[in-house]
């Protein structure tokens, strides 16, 4: 199965994306890519690609780019020759294309996926699942991290079902601990949506551990956090921001004095480890799960390394056949889907 | 003007609250307190209080305590002899009581304030405003940080007006930069509420700087962040949690090896500074503004020091007569209030 890669998504496109693609092909010789972008650029870059990699690269030309400022659904409807639309169409129509990866405008990628690739039958809204490392060494999934900003309780119920399948089959967790993001741990807390979702999650055949507060995100006490995309986005970016700002303060403390510099030398290794953990550019991308093909949204500021990681991660997810499990779980477990 | 203090609020009550009260009285000899709590406890503790402080302490007895697990409005309606209800009643009925301070159940404190003390005329919903330090040395206000979890756009519009007055008159900012918490900076982003609020804030006579992402919370690029209480709570606690977890990892890095310990010695001072900045127990409390008296909610885990800080801060806020400014701003600026 090939991965369709949007060369024109993100702040550092197209070079960072192209370079990341080549790195991924070098690192895993099973990966095959369809690169989508402007003909002139792709043709020129391909000239200097090693011959042994070329056989695993297919080109698809798209001469338009959807910018971040554009209204997503208008752009997807009008720019039919954009890398996002062409890429999604390829995924939809070709059986040998299993995934679409882009670092472009979040709204446009998700709209393109919804309108062009389409949902798995029964899925009300696909959910954007972000993965973050915890302080105890594991991972925590956040569903939804920003795709669905206005949610009905039924959507969040399905986010839980979808994320649960992903955690089981991709992360290999037998009984993922699923928590509902809320303002307090007691049942009955929260806004109207959270209160309704709480009652729904209790009834699902999942390991629902109740409400969790935002402070628990990195604790390792929960594997999957369920939220509407608006509050989830605040949790994710608030955490990223705090990490970024604290690491900046530490850097200033270290470089601000001779004492600091000496201390910094002794603590270099563990500090780098913490910095890397908090650096979201080290994580490939977020999975937009619930579409009939895998869709992966990379960070807009992605550099070659994060694109490489995202492609390799997407390849591994593709092997697990997550779509089939989601289809089964949604249509067997969730009667509201039928 | 006296401050009414709930002795029975929080995890460390009543001792931590009583001790904090005494410390505040010692630190500022203008402060006068009404301590609300069980007669037996208060009478016993008063025996060992310095004579010169006693004249600034009044006692009010309340034999019941509202627990965190209780449903706020039911508890406030039924436990009429609880410290929260008695304290709020005192504020309502006595002109010489200007503020109510509690570290008790958030829901009960806010419900008590709403039902017993009441709102300033024209205020749709009082808002819980939390203050956090920024990395550039200033402060950032978050309105709402968890009191109003289901919001209409009109509420957030008023949160902006209220927080703007607070920032001007209490923090002394001439033109506070007001940002709307959102999933992206471009106009048109966000959920239905955020989109509607954006249009409203544009029309207000405030320094509205547009949408801000959660990553900006500690940056110092914004003075006031407007949000519904659900998403705001995720931002606040997500940031606190990230700070707590990162500091824990750093501590482990320092104590985990001899090299680390040496490095830690050299970096002790700046690290303590960062730790203190991220430690929310160093901040007095959150203001629930829009009620006819000041209402301050302290952290449930408050220790004597945070209670002391909250009392002193409340006293200073009381001097500024914030209520009058809010009343004027709401009723002059916001026609939806009339």
């Amino acid at each position: 199965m090939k991965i369709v890669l949007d060369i024109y998504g993100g702040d550092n496109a197209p070079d960072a994306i192209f370079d990341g693609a080549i790195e991924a092909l070098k690192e895993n010789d099973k990966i095959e890519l369809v690169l989508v972008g402007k003909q002139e650029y792709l043709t020129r870059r391909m000239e200097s690609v090693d011959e042994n990699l070329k056989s695993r690269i297919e080109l698809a030309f798209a001469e338009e780019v959807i910018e971040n400022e554009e209204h997503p659904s208008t752009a997807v409807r009008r720019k039919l020759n954009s890398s996002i639309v062409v890429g999604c169409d390829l995924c939809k129509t070709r059986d040998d294309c299993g995934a679409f990866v882009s670092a472009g405008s979040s709204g446009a990628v998700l709209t393109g996926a919804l309108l062009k690739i389409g949902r798995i039958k029964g899925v009300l809204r696909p959910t954007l699942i972000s993965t973050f490392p915890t302080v105890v060494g594991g991972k925590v999934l956040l569903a939804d991290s920003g795709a669905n900003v206005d949610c009905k309780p039924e959507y969040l119920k399905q986010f839980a079902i979808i994320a649960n399948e992903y955690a089981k089959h991709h992360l290999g967790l037998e009984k993922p601990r699923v928590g509902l993001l809320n303002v307090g741990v007691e049942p009955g807390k929260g806004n109207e949506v959270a209160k309704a979702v709480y009652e729904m999650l209790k009834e699902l055949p999942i390991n629902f551990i109740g409400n969790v507060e935002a402070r628990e995100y990195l604790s390792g006490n929960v594997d999957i956090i369920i939220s509407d995309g608006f509050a989830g986005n605040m949790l994710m970016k608030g955490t990223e921001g705090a990490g970024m700002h604290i690491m900046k303060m530490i850097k200033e403390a270290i470089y601000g004095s001779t004492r600091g510099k000496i201390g910094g030398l002794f603590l270099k290794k563990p500090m780098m480890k913490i910095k890397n953990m908090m650096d979201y550019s080290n994580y490939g991308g977020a999975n937009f799960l619930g579409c009939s093909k895998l869709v992966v949204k990379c960070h807009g500021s992605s550099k070659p390394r994060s694109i490489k990681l995202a492609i390799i991660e997407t390849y591994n997810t593709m092997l697990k056949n997550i779509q089939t499990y989601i289809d089964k779980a949604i249509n067997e477990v969730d009667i509201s889907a039928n």
Side-chain angles (χ1 to χ4, degrees), chain A residues 88-142:
Chain A
C88 288
D89 276 338
L90 278 173
C91 272
K92 171 75 180 175
T93 50
R94 278 177 49 176
D95 285 344
D96 65 337
C97 293
F100 178 62
V101 176
S102 174
S105 150
S106 304
V109 173
L110 307 185
T111 308
L114 260 179
L115 297 182
K116 302 291 172 180
I117 300 179
R119 290 168 287 169
I120 291 170
K121 185 180 160 288
V123 169
L124 299 167
R125 293 286 184 282
T127 178
L128 190 65
I129 304 185
S130 292
T131 308
F132 218 77
T134 69
V135 290
V136 295
K139 284 178 179 174
V140 58
L141 305 180
L142 175 62

Side-chain angles (χ1 to χ4, degrees), chain A residues 5-7 14-28 31-35 53 56-57 303-309 311-312:
Chain A
L5 179 69
D6 171 14
I7 289 293
D15 285 344
I17 316 290
F18 194 94
D19 294 345
I22 299 301
E23 285 183 29
L25 290 168
K26 282 181 184 163
E27 196 152 317
N28 182 326
I31 294 177
E32 293 182 83
L33 297 175
V34 182
L35 306 182
L53 299 182
R56 291 190 279 133
I57 301 176
K303 299 205 169 92
R305 186 179 139 77
S306 19
I307 295 295
K308 177 192 80 174
L309 292 173
I311 294 171
I312 294 170

Side-chain angles (χ1 to χ4, degrees), chain A residues 172-320:
Chain A
L173 299 175
E174 204 175 325
K175 279 184 164 193
R177 295 159 300 171
V178 182
L180 177 63
L181 187 63
N182 212 328
V183 293
V185 292
E186 300 86 358
K189 287 264 179 179
N191 57 15
E192 292 306 323
V193 169
K195 282 190 264 188
V197 174
Y198 186 95
E199 296 306 316
M200 291 174 171
L201 297 189
K202 269 200 325 194
E203 304 302 321
L204 287 181
I206 60 172
N207 180 17
F208 177 50
I209 61 166
N211 292 324
V212 292
E213 290 195 80
R215 270 187 216 107
E216 294 293 321
Y217 188 28
L218 308 183
S219 69
N221 297 331
V222 55
D223 301 309
I224 298 171
I225 294 184
I226 300 302
S227 171
D228 74 85
F230 195 82
N233 193 265
M234 300 317 150
L235 173 59
M236 182 180 71
K237 290 186 185 160
T239 300
E240 288 174 358
M244 189 175 72
H245 285 119
I246 294 171
M247 294 322 286
K248 200 179 147 210
M249 283 191 288
I250 290 173
K251 203 175 158 187
E252 284 167 5
I254 288 175
Y255 289 104
S257 71
T258 310
R259 281 185 68 85
K261 279 177 200 154
I262 298 169
L265 281 177
F266 281 98
L267 281 165
K268 197 170 181 182
K269 219 171 140 185
M271 285 299 184
M272 282 305 290
K273 205 178 130 193
I274 298 172
K275 183 175 175 284
N276 284 333
M277 177 191 151
M278 294 306 299
D279 184 355
Y280 49 82
S281 67
N282 282 323
Y283 307 110
N287 281 280
F288 188 53
L289 287 182
C291 294
S292 54
K293 299 286 171 85
L294 259 190
V295 177
V296 177
K297 166 70 181 85
C298 300
H299 212 280
S301 61
S302 289
K303 299 205 169 92
R305 186 179 139 77
S306 19
I307 295 295
K308 177 192 80 174
L309 292 173
I311 294 171
I312 294 170
E313 179 85 1
T314 303
Y315 179 76
N316 292 330
T317 312
M318 225 164 47
L319 291 182
K320 307 283 173 51

